[in-house]
Amino acid sequence: MTSPALSGVVYGSLNGTDLVHLPLEEMRVDALIVDISVRVVLTQVFLNNLSSPSPRAKYVFPVPSGAAVCAFQMCTSDDRLIIGVAKEKNKASKEHEEAVLEGKETALVEWVSDDSAYV
């Protein structure tokens, strides 16, 4: 299972040796239970204290086996809504890297199994 220390919004420090975590300012959980299933909507607000955007930030969230992520949305500090779109992993990674090289704002959500190592 993923360590709680590896959850939230993280990015590499300027010295490149440490992970920096953005502080979690607020969290809300809404759950709807029907029979043996549950739909959970988790809202988290993180604070970026930097004077510039976080470089190559990554949102890490442990999902238990047997669960699935069916949607992802991100609202930026300037109130833009970014809606995630599910794509094949290699295609999504390629498009993400191309967008980074073009200087576009981009995000990539990636599923990692419980037994995978985080680097």
Side-chain angles (χ1 to χ4, degrees):
M1 187 63 126
T2 305
S3 164
L6 289 177
S7 62
V9 177
V10 296
Y11 62 92
S13 64
L14 294 178
N15 66 17
T17 60
D18 300 315
L19 281 181
V20 177
H21 292 76
L22 294 184
L24 178 62
E25 292 289 305
E26 178 184 333
M27 183 166 67
R28 186 178 74 239
V29 178
D30 297 305
L32 174 63
I33 301 170
V34 179
D35 289 330
I36 60 169
S37 298
V38 63
R39 178 178 182 201
V40 178
V41 176
L42 175 69
T43 302
Q44 294 179 313
V45 177
F46 294 90
L47 177 65
N48 182 359
N49 291 323
L50 300 176
S51 57
S52 61
S54 303
R56 300 292 298 249
K58 181 183 286 190
Y59 176 66
V60 180
F61 183 77
V63 177
S65 60
V69 175
C70 61
F72 178 84
Q73 294 182 352
M74 179 178 74
C75 184
T76 64
S77 59
D78 58 358
D79 291 328
R80 287 181 299 129
L81 180 63
I82 299 168
I83 298 173
V85 177
K87 296 183 179 182
E88 187 273 325
K89 183 176 180 175
N90 290 333
K91 180 179 181 182
S93 289
K94 181 180 178 194
E95 289 178 8
H96 174 71
E97 288 304 319
E98 288 171 356
V100 168
L101 293 173
E102 293 171 7
K104 296 179 179 177
E105 289 188 24
T106 181
L108 181 66
V109 176
E110 187 174 332
W111 179 81
V112 179
S113 67
D114 288 346
D115 58 352
S116 296
Y118 286 88
V119 180

